[in-house]
Amino acid sequence: MTEPAYLAAVRESYDSVADVYVERVITPAELDPLSRAMLTAFAELVRDAGRGPVADLGCGPGRVTAHLTLLGLSAFGVDLSPRMVELAREAHPELRFMEGSMTALDISDNELGGILAYYSTHHTPPERLPSVFAEFHRTLAPGGHLMWGDYTGANEHMCPTQAYDRPVSYESYFLPLDRTAELLRGAGFNVTARMEQEPDGRVKRRHACLLARKPEV
C-alpha cells in the first residue's frame, strides 16, 4: 500500500528538526501545572485499571515517555521519525522506542492499558483522524484509557515552510475541541474529561486535553 504523502512530509520534517527540537522544547517538569496534573491523572487511571502497558504515540525524543515511567507506568514510545527514535534511545536506553505510524501500529489488538497522543495528531489531515482513532481503539484493551492533548482552533490549516530554524513540509490542522471529542466518540470511546486552556506567555495557541476510555466488553 502506498504511504500517504503527509506521512512522508511529517517524517522528513521531524528528521530535519530533531536535533534542534531537543534543545528547545521544554521538559515535562516545565509544563504548566494543569498539563502536569492531567498527565498525573491519566497515569493514576491507567495504574488503577491494570490493563497493560502504555504507548506514547508520537513520542519524539522520549521525554514524556520517561515521565510516564516516573509516574509508575510501563511505557514505550512510537514515532514516525527515525532521528527522533534514535535520540530517544540515546537519552533513555532503558526504555523501548520504535519507528511506526499511528495509521498502522505494530501492536496487537487489545494489547495496551493506555495510549498517550500528546501534541502528535495535529499534522494528520482531519479526514484521516477517524482511521487513526480507530487504531487507538483497536490496540487499547477494554477498560483502557486514552489521553489526547494538542492545540485547538476553528478548523485552521497551516502550511509552514520553516520550524526550529529548519525547512519543513508538514501541514498542521487545528480543530475545535468539540470536533475532536466527537471523532473519539465515533471511534467507540467514552470521553470522560476535558480541559481547554487559553494561550499564555509561552504557548501561543489555545490547547486542550481529553481523557477517554474504551468501554468494557
Side-chain angles (χ1 to χ4, degrees):
M1 182 180 296
T2 303
E3 179 181 73
Y6 83 93
L7 290 178
V10 171
R11 180 186 297 107
E12 293 165 6
S13 296
Y14 278 99
D15 277 350
S16 172
V17 305
D19 292 88
V20 182
Y21 181 99
V22 169
E23 295 175 359
R24 297 189 185 179
V25 172
I26 62 173
T27 67
E30 297 172 298
L31 291 170
D32 65 272
L34 290 176
S35 295
R36 293 199 310 272
M38 290 294 280
L39 285 168
T40 300
F42 167 70
E44 184 173 341
L45 289 167
V46 174
R47 289 199 314 268
D48 288 350
R51 304 288 177 170
V54 172
D56 179 9
L57 303 180
C59 65
R63 290 172 175 167
V64 179
T65 318
H67 183 68
L68 293 177
T69 67
L70 295 177
L71 295 174
L73 299 178
S74 173
F76 65 95
V78 180
D79 202 274
L80 191 62
S81 161
R83 180 55 181 158
M84 285 291 193
V85 170
E86 183 180 8
L87 291 172
R89 289 170 176 167
E90 290 174 0
H92 308 285
E94 75 284 3
L95 300 180
R96 179 163 64 102
F97 296 96
M98 58 186 185
E99 294 177 34
S101 168
M102 289 183 285
T103 62
L105 293 165
D106 187 18
I107 298 171
S108 300
D109 294 356
N110 305 319
E111 179 179 339
L112 302 172
I115 289 175
L116 178 67
Y118 206 51
Y119 296 87
S120 58
T121 64
H122 63 273
H123 298 308
T124 304
E127 67 273 14
R128 293 187 179 270
L129 282 174
S131 63
V132 169
F133 291 161
E135 270 293 271
F136 293 0
H137 189 274
R138 178 187 69 79
T139 56
L140 197 63
H145 293 273
L146 164 69
M147 179 171 162
W148 171 92
D150 219 316
Y151 303 109
T152 60
N155 295 306
E156 298 163 53
H157 179 201
M158 297 181 65
C159 302
T161 57
Q162 278 205 331
Y164 307 100
D165 300 324
R166 297 288 189 275
V168 296
S169 56
Y170 57 54
E171 301 178 29
S172 297
Y173 307 85
F174 306 115
L175 305 182
L177 184 57
D178 285 345
R179 177 58 179 154
T180 302
E182 178 185 6
L183 290 171
L184 286 174
R185 286 192 290 267
F189 288 98
N190 293 330
V191 176
T192 58
R194 64 173 66 197
M195 178 192 70
E196 190 164 18
Q197 296 178 259
E198 296 299 320
D200 58 26
R202 184 163 54 190
V203 180
K204 304 303 182 184
R205 300 194 64 86
R206 184 178 290 111
H207 54 118
C209 285
L210 292 170
L211 292 175
R213 188 170 183 262
K214 181 175 176 177
E216 302 276 0
V217 174

